[in-house]
Amino acid sequence: MATAALNRTGSIVRKPLVDLLDNRNVLSVICMAPAAILLLTFLTYPLGLGVWLGFTDTKIGRPGFFIGLENYISLFDDSVFWLVVFNTLLYTTVATVLKFGLGLYLALLLNNHLPFKAILRAIILLPWIVPTVLSAIAFWWIYDAQFSILSYMLQKMGLIDQYIDFLGKPNNARASLIAANVWRGIPFVAICLLAGLQTISPSLYEAAALDGATPWQRFRHVTMPMLMPILSIVLTFSVLFTFTDFQLIYAITRGGPVNSTHLMATLAFQRAIPGGQLGEGAAIATAMIPFLVAATLSSYFGLQRRKWQQGESDG
Amino acid sequence: MSDFSRRDLAKLGVGLVAGTALGGPALAQAPEWKIQPEKGASLRVMRPAKFVQGDETLFLENTAKYEKMTGVKVRVDSEGWEDLVPKSAVAANVGKGPDVVYGWHDNVHQYPDKVVVLNDVANYLGSKYGGWYDLAQKYGKKGNNWISIPLGASGSKMVYRKSMLKAAGYDAVPKDFPGFLKMAQDLKAKGTPIGFALGNAIGDANGWCHWVLWGHGAKMVNEKDQVTLNSPETIAALNYVKQLYDTFIPGTLSWLDPSNNKAFLDGQLSLTANGISVYYAAKTSTDARLKEMTADIEHASFPIGPVGKPSESCSMVPAYVFKYSRYPNAAKDYIRFMMEKEQYEPWLEASIGYWGHPLKFYENNKIWTVDPKHTPYNSVIKNALWLGYAGSLGYASAGALADYIIVTMFASVASGAKTPEQAAAEAHKRVERYYKI
């Protein structure tokens, strides 16, 4: 608008291209375009295609036809699908709670003045740095029915008579995989929360101490509210990662025994690629979206409520 | 070669069991092979990663030989066994990728329209080398057309410790199901249990579960692709496995494909079902303990169930050529070349029995007799049925197999989570989801 006005006065003569680039609307479109194109090509398009495939009977090597909700209706009747939904929710809930409890505890410990603080912090990150497949293979050996180091030690100590069937019984297998996931996930939570802890101004603690606050009160009314914004972000990410976990399951149990450790991601893969039912696999993957959106919204908005951050109680 | 009638019969080619009927197939007079590679052709070949070193070494040597003879450039990519399926599927879908794929059993039956018909290659090889086994034809053909050329198959046999069987009072593995169960119970009583994988082990678990299922005369679907799983025969098979499972080493419900190899080589198992790789690992090991075990390892065919005929299964590796290939003739010629005696025999021998042959002529190869312990693996393709028996191969059979429906059915009964009746009914329903299309 400004250039147009200048032109009318005739004091400055400009080329049309320059004029165009000076136009705020045009410029903003040009600047946004690369990001928008990236998002559309690499996020919106694949996501949209995935959702679309879920409404078709596409098979590997054969284009599909639109079949409406047939995949979903068929999944609704499939006991394995519901078992897998249950597994996924259980896996995500238990693993996330444990990761947060232990991760927060670890972050608080590391926030104290410890000797060799930097080295300790680096070591904590190790489980997260090791490629998942490697740690999965390590856990596969740890849980092995015949060669488990855990069983071996417990037996040598005289605590058990025969090797623990870590992966052979449904609930054992679920617990074992959750433990592996927690082990992998703690560092991420701990380091992020540690970063959050370090942004809390010491003066707040000093003020609280002057007011005679107990350590618990300081944690409850200073640390927690100040940590809430980063906590909510980390929680959101952690839920997303856990819900969509694939590698650990695939390397350790392939979803067995009797489908007790199959997650939605592994089932979607199993049916879509080795099974060739791309449409159904896409439908299972799409069925994850509502859960993910719900989990994200509740952890994000739930924890970001202002009241909490200001240290007020919920009620 | 002087046997006139034998040669003529063999020449009739594909589908004839001429060779076996007359006591051993012979090399027929070579029919003429006319297809020449295109000028300036180059090929990309994708195959499963090696399991025994000799397999890959000879495969690459043969390929180099082909390059030298024809001037066709060939690049061979080895893919992990599980990556092969999606990679081949993606190539089929997007119409770009390797020209020739050595894929897994029924993969190509999921995209039969995307590949070149190979009748000329199959007929040439079949008539020259004593004909194809029935199973090779089942996997190779869609209707009347050959859509792939089976390279070979890896299959399981009973792998056992002679000394442990002897200690339990057995000189050999019993040939029928009740006898086998009794032996397993006796071995368990001696503290030397048997073990078969019951986790989601695509090769091992499917192999032995289908053996028991088919051995009882049960099948997932009939010849018309109607689901027939929930049957008295299936219940009988499930009851049999329930009893058999009680004799297993603990932990088999979590076993994946490598688990039984590890336990066997550690000396914890008296018997399992596996390819020849366990024996091979022991034989080539530098560990004194394993070297000693080598002499004690024996192989046997799977016992025959009430159905009265062998009911084994195997993992077939068929070669197919995608239509998008710019050099289909070179691809055909390459596939033919690799199956010719001059190349195939050294390859078969270098794989020391890990791969079984689909052409009857190779039954007489010395690899099957040079060590008597190789001999049972001679019949891998001859004794096997296809995964998806007795129906057709395609989307439904692949989907049901990938979903571990049969393995899960057996595992849920073995673990006590379900009664045989419940498990059969549930599995039946799951199979129907795939075959309704």
Side-chain angles (χ1 to χ4, degrees):
Chain A
M1 313 297 138
T3 43
L6 282 172
N7 279 345
R8 254 198 310 274
T9 64
S11 58
I12 301 167
V13 182
R14 290 194 167 188
K15 288 180 183 149
L17 184 68
V18 180
D19 269 355
L20 201 63
L21 283 178
D22 261 357
N23 183 321
R24 238 168 220 262
N25 293 328
V26 174
L27 197 64
S28 62
V29 167
I30 292 173
C31 289
M32 302 256 287
I37 288 168
L38 278 178
L39 282 175
L40 284 173
T41 330
F42 295 109
L43 282 172
T44 317
Y45 172 68
L47 184 68
L49 186 64
V51 174
W52 163 250
L53 279 177
F55 291 114
T56 67
D57 62 351
T58 308
K59 304 267 193 297
I60 274 179
R62 190 191 84 186
F65 301 99
F66 181 78
I67 52 165
L69 289 172
E70 216 171 280
N71 283 328
Y72 294 94
I73 293 165
S74 154
L75 283 174
F76 195 84
D77 275 339
D78 179 16
S79 58
V80 175
F81 174 72
W82 288 111
L83 174 67
V84 165
V85 170
F86 166 77
N87 290 342
T88 314
L89 291 176
L90 180 82
Y91 184 79
T92 311
T93 315
V94 178
T96 308
V97 167
L98 288 175
K99 271 189 273 196
F100 267 79
L102 296 168
L104 181 60
Y105 177 64
L106 201 60
L108 289 170
L109 281 184
L110 287 173
N111 199 31
N112 292 329
H113 289 290
L114 297 165
F116 310 112
K117 200 159 59 177
I119 293 179
L120 271 179
R121 285 177 189 172
I123 291 174
I124 296 294
L125 266 180
L126 273 181
W128 203 60
I129 294 167
V130 179
T132 313
V133 171
L134 286 188
S135 49
I137 290 172
F139 272 104
W140 186 52
W141 277 98
I142 290 174
Y143 295 144
D144 192 283
Q146 271 71 42
F147 303 94
S148 164
I149 178 93
L150 283 179
S151 293
Y152 176 82
M153 289 195 311
L154 291 172
Q155 198 178 40
K156 286 282 169 226
M157 284 190 257
L159 294 174
I160 52 171
D161 296 331
Q162 80 180 75
Y163 275 31
I164 301 168
D165 200 358
F166 284 108
L167 302 173
K169 297 202 173 98
N171 284 335
N172 282 8
R174 287 179 181 132
S176 303
L177 286 172
I178 288 173
N181 180 282
V182 168
W183 178 84
R184 250 195 77 72
I186 286 178
F188 173 72
V189 177
I191 295 294
C192 289
L193 294 186
L194 180 62
L197 285 174
Q198 299 197 325
T199 61
I200 302 175
S201 163
S203 61
L204 290 173
Y205 290 107
E206 284 162 18
L210 284 177
D211 288 343
T214 62
W216 168 249
Q217 283 173 323
R218 262 182 285 162
F219 173 75
R220 176 68 190 81
H221 297 288
V222 179
T223 313
M224 280 304 279
M226 296 302 290
L227 207 54
M228 226 19 113
I230 192 153
L231 199 69
S232 64
I233 301 274
V234 178
L235 184 64
T236 310
F237 272 102
S238 178
V239 167
L240 294 186
F241 291 154
T242 318
F243 198 88
T244 55
D245 198 1
F246 178 88
Q247 296 180 71
L248 270 181
I249 309 294
Y250 203 69
I252 299 179
T253 64
R254 296 270 142 80
V258 199
N259 293 321
S260 59
T261 59
H262 247 312
L263 301 186
M264 291 172 87
T266 50
L267 188 73
F269 173 79
Q270 179 177 299
R271 293 209 170 151
I273 307 295
Q277 324 273 332
L278 277 182
E280 191 182 320
I284 297 173
T286 307
M288 293 167 77
I289 295 176
F291 291 104
L292 287 172
V293 170
T296 315
L297 290 182
S298 62
S299 58
Y300 195 74
F301 287 110
L303 293 178
Q304 271 213 330
R305 278 183 304 176
R306 220 149 251 292
K307 274 200 291 186
W308 280 40
Q309 287 176 41
Q310 287 163 355
E312 285 173 34
S313 66
D314 211 9
Chain B
M1 292 307 298
S2 58
D3 187 337
F4 180 77
S5 65
R6 170 162 48 177
R7 184 173 65 209
D8 266 13
L9 273 173
K11 260 198 207 158
L12 285 175
V14 189
L16 282 186
V17 265
T20 27
L22 291 161
L27 188 60
Q29 216 167 38
E32 214 179 332
W33 175 253
K34 294 198 192 87
I35 297 172
Q36 291 299 319
E38 296 85 349
K39 273 211 162 26
S42 67
L43 292 174
R44 258 187 70 197
V45 177
M46 186 163 83
R47 56 152 285 170
K50 65 181 175 214
F51 210 83
V52 287
Q53 181 60 47
D55 158 20
E56 190 177 82
T57 312
L58 259 291
F59 194 92
L60 293 177
E61 266 178 35
N62 287 338
T63 302
K65 202 162 135 194
Y66 182 75
E67 286 188 301
K68 223 169 125 196
M69 281 173 64
T70 60
V72 175
K73 276 237 141 310
V74 186
R75 189 180 112 194
V76 178
D77 296 322
S78 289
E79 293 293 342
W81 287 23
E82 294 188 348
D83 298 339
L84 197 61
V85 180
K87 285 202 170 162
S88 165
V90 168
N93 261 5
V94 302
K96 232 184 170 65
D99 303 271
V100 179
V101 175
Y102 286 87
W104 286 119
H105 31 94
D106 58 355
N107 294 166
V108 67
H109 287 265
Q110 296 181 46
Y111 27 86
D113 310 337
K114 309 270 178 178
V115 295
V116 176
V117 171
L118 299 171
N119 291 345
D120 34 16
V121 186
N123 291 337
Y124 166 85
L125 289 170
S127 49
K128 186 167 176 187
Y129 293 105
W132 299 93
Y133 287 116
D134 289 349
L135 187 71
Q137 296 186 47
K138 180 73 194 178
Y139 276 114
K141 283 160 98 171
K142 182 101 188 167
N144 289 323
N145 280 333
W146 286 80
I147 53 173
S148 68
I149 301 296
L151 170 75
S154 84
S156 287
K157 295 286 166 179
M158 294 294 169
V159 183
Y160 65 95
R161 299 282 299 275
K162 200 164 51 181
S163 61
M164 292 181 181
L165 257 68
K166 207 159 210 104
Y170 294 84
D171 287 327
V173 177
K175 296 215 178 322
D176 60 355
F177 278 24
F180 185 77
L181 176 63
K182 178 78 182 41
M183 179 200 66
Q185 288 161 343
D186 291 345
L187 283 166
K188 162 101 171 170
K190 287 273 174 200
T192 52
I194 71 165
F196 298 137
L198 269 172
N200 286 357
I202 190 83
D204 286 348
N206 273 311
W208 82 272
C209 286
H210 281 95
W211 158 63
V212 176
L213 184 75
W214 297 332
H216 281 89
K219 31 184 114 105
M220 187 169 76
V221 289
N222 64 16
E223 292 77 2
K224 292 177 193 146
D225 282 336
Q226 288 156 333
V227 184
T228 54
L229 189 57
N230 194 359
S231 66
E233 290 83 11
T234 303
I235 309 278
L238 288 166
N239 277 316
Y240 182 78
V241 165
K242 184 141 189 63
Q243 287 172 282
L244 198 62
Y245 176 73
D246 288 336
T247 71
F248 282 9
I249 192 172
T252 49
L253 280 162
S254 69
W255 276 11
L256 300 182
D257 281 289
S259 307
N260 65 336
N261 301 41
K262 292 189 303 186
F264 190 94
L265 291 170
D266 192 49
Q268 300 190 31
L269 275 180
S270 57
L271 179 145
T272 189
N274 209 70
I276 205 163
S277 48
V278 166
Y279 175 65
Y280 187 71
K283 197 174 171 178
T284 53
S285 169
T286 47
D287 185 340
R289 196 181 53 80
L290 283 181
K291 271 205 156 3
E292 206 184 300
M293 193 193 280
T294 311
D296 197 30
I297 299 178
E298 288 287 346
H299 300 126
S301 279
F302 283 30
I304 293 177
V307 76
K309 56 173 189 180
S311 58
E312 300 174 14
S313 67
C314 63
S315 298
M316 188 72 82
V317 175
Y320 41 92
V321 181
F322 281 116
K323 274 186 186 157
Y324 60 69
S325 169
R326 288 164 60 207
Y327 308 109
N329 287 343
K332 282 181 182 179
D333 193 44
Y334 173 78
I335 292 174
R336 173 207 56 90
F337 179 84
M338 299 297 271
M339 298 300 289
E340 297 272 15
K341 189 164 158 294
E342 295 72 24
Q343 286 70 244
Y344 197 81
E345 286 194 324
W347 175 77
L348 200 62
E349 285 160 27
S351 311
I352 64 139
Y354 189 75
W355 295 113
H357 47 87
L359 286 159
K360 290 174 188 164
F361 170 76
Y362 295 114
E363 219 171 276
N364 296 332
N365 190 281
K366 63 176 185 291
I367 189 68
W368 304 122
T369 44
V370 63
D371 179 343
K373 292 179 185 179
H374 293 173
T375 311
Y377 289 91
N378 192 352
S379 58
V380 158
I381 294 187
K382 196 171 160 185
N383 279 358
L385 299 169
W386 60 98
L387 295 161
Y389 172 78
S392 58
L393 292 166
Y395 292 117
S397 66
L401 182 69
D403 222 13
Y404 296 101
I405 296 176
I406 299 296
V407 174
T408 304
M409 177 177 79
F410 280 105
S412 63
V413 169
S415 68
K418 295 221 160 69
T419 65
E421 288 76 14
Q422 288 170 334
E426 191 192 303
H428 185 94
K429 214 173 146 208
R430 288 183 64 194
V431 175
E432 276 180 336
R433 291 185 70 241
Y434 288 99
Y435 279 85
K436 68 172 185 236
I437 317 144

